[in-house]
Amino acid sequence: MKLRARLSIPKLMTAVCAVAFVLSSVQYAFAGNELKGKWTLTISMPDAPGSSITRSFTVTIDVLPRGESLHGRANITDDSGKTVSAAWRQVGKQVSIAYELPCDGVNPCASLILQGKVKGGGVLIKKGSVIVMWDTENDRNPSLFDTSNGTFRGDQIEQ
Amino acid sequence: MSRLNRLLILVIAFFSMTVLIGGSTARMQSERTLAGEWIVRSTAINGQTASPKGVSLGFPDRDMVFEQQGDLRTGVVLREDVGHDVRPLGVWRVSGDSFSTTFQLWCPDANGPCGSIVMRGHFVRDDKISGTMTAFFNVSDDNTPTGYDTWTFAFVGNRVVASSSGGSH
């Protein structure tokens, strides 16, 4: 028993150190991939409900710190200089950004939900997906409005 | 009545109509706002109390506060029934009598389903709204157009009247 105890203490210490190292690494990895700073988001989505024409546009998102909260706010500015609010949340690398696409009189209004993974130490969102919910009613759609899918990419431009 | 007088009356009538229509449109656009506090009650549509994949948010009364600073329109749900710090965030816009808001769901359990909510509705009056809420859960569902588990339910909201002391009920 004594021999077993002597052998198990160093092993136990090694295991504890290993677990602590892994946990701190995971925490560091998630902290490094926190959505923060200023980003460009390049969004590709249909230009109208049911349309096969893709509209691509770039917006700038200024992410405000969320502190200890699960959610944070952000400001999104389009190429015409119009700024609207956004709400975001993040669990691990998985981030979700929601905002209302402004009614600019040219493109139809919609609500956008962007989902993706923050990678590269917190500077890149590759192959993100977009849920588009249009303002046009559609009782055959489970949301009762027309929906579309899109994609987006995010690049951090300022920390 | 001379031809000139008739023409004058027509011109005056035209400008009066323009001012009236323009004025009422401007009034309509400036009157409708979500800014303020609302108590929103939701109900199932056709008995659907959960999403097709079995995810439900229940039907609690939601205390929602909307703010506007210029073009920045934000919202927060005060979920004090769950915890003082539970404040899901959202955004909104208004177009005439219709409005749209989008909120993030509050998901403290990283292993559970999460998602986002889109509210679409209209103003019944300045202090009453109704419409539908759609939850897009981050659970795959091949039977929906978006590929995400989708659940829609109805809501009615009443504006919380500010008390004379400046607070709210």
Side-chain angles (χ1 to χ4, degrees), chain B residues 53-76:
Chain B
K53 297 294 181 185
V55 187
S56 180
L57 305 174
F59 298 95
D61 284 0
R62 290 171 175 84
D63 188 350
M64 308 182 81
V65 178
F66 295 95
E67 291 183 358
Q68 179 171 6
Q69 291 180 328
D71 283 337
L72 301 181
R73 297 176 182 86
T74 58
V76 60

Side-chain angles (χ1 to χ4, degrees), chain A residues 40 89-90 116 129 135-136 150:
Chain A
T40 57
R89 64 178 155 77
Q90 184 172 4
S129 63
D135 280 11
T136 46

Side-chain angles (χ1 to χ4, degrees), chain B:
Chain B
M1 192 179 288
S2 73
R3 201 170 163 183
L4 186 65
N5 281 345
R6 277 203 298 268
L7 188 65
L8 196 63
I9 288 167
L10 273 173
V11 168
I12 289 169
F14 173 77
F15 278 109
S16 301
M17 288 296 286
T18 306
V19 168
L20 277 173
I21 291 168
S24 67
T25 305
R27 227 179 1 259
M28 240 174 66
Q29 285 170 347
S30 63
E31 277 176 2
R32 299 303 197 193
T33 178
L34 280 176
E37 185 175 1
W38 299 79
I39 299 296
V40 176
R41 293 190 170 90
S42 48
T43 52
I45 297 175
N46 298 329
Q48 292 176 318
T49 56
S51 74
K53 297 294 181 185
V55 187
S56 180
L57 305 174
F59 298 95
D61 284 0
R62 290 171 175 84
D63 188 350
M64 308 182 81
V65 178
F66 295 95
E67 291 183 358
Q68 179 171 6
Q69 291 180 328
D71 283 337
L72 301 181
R73 297 176 182 86
T74 58
V76 60
V77 186
L78 308 178
R79 292 299 307 273
E80 290 180 356
D81 55 319
V82 182
H84 287 295
D85 297 331
V86 180
R87 294 179 163 225
L89 301 181
V91 294
W92 57 281
R93 64 181 156 86
V94 170
S95 178
D97 282 341
S98 303
F99 66 86
S100 176
T101 83
T102 307
F103 276 83
Q104 296 286 10
L105 287 176
W106 192 268
C107 310
D109 178 8
N111 298 314
C114 199
S116 307
I117 297 275
V118 180
M119 292 171 71
R120 288 290 167 79
H122 68 278
F123 289 86
V124 179
R125 300 187 306 258
D126 281 350
D127 59 354
K128 190 179 181 75
I129 53 175
S130 72
T132 55
M133 286 195 209
T134 299
F136 294 98
F137 296 112
N138 56 3
V139 176
S140 296
D141 186 346
D142 294 338
N143 296 315
T144 64
T146 60
Y148 292 95
D149 189 22
T150 304
W151 176 42
T152 300
F153 48 96
F155 73 84
V156 172
N158 289 290
R159 188 185 287 277
V160 177
V161 180
S163 68
S164 55
S165 60
S168 60
H169 296 297

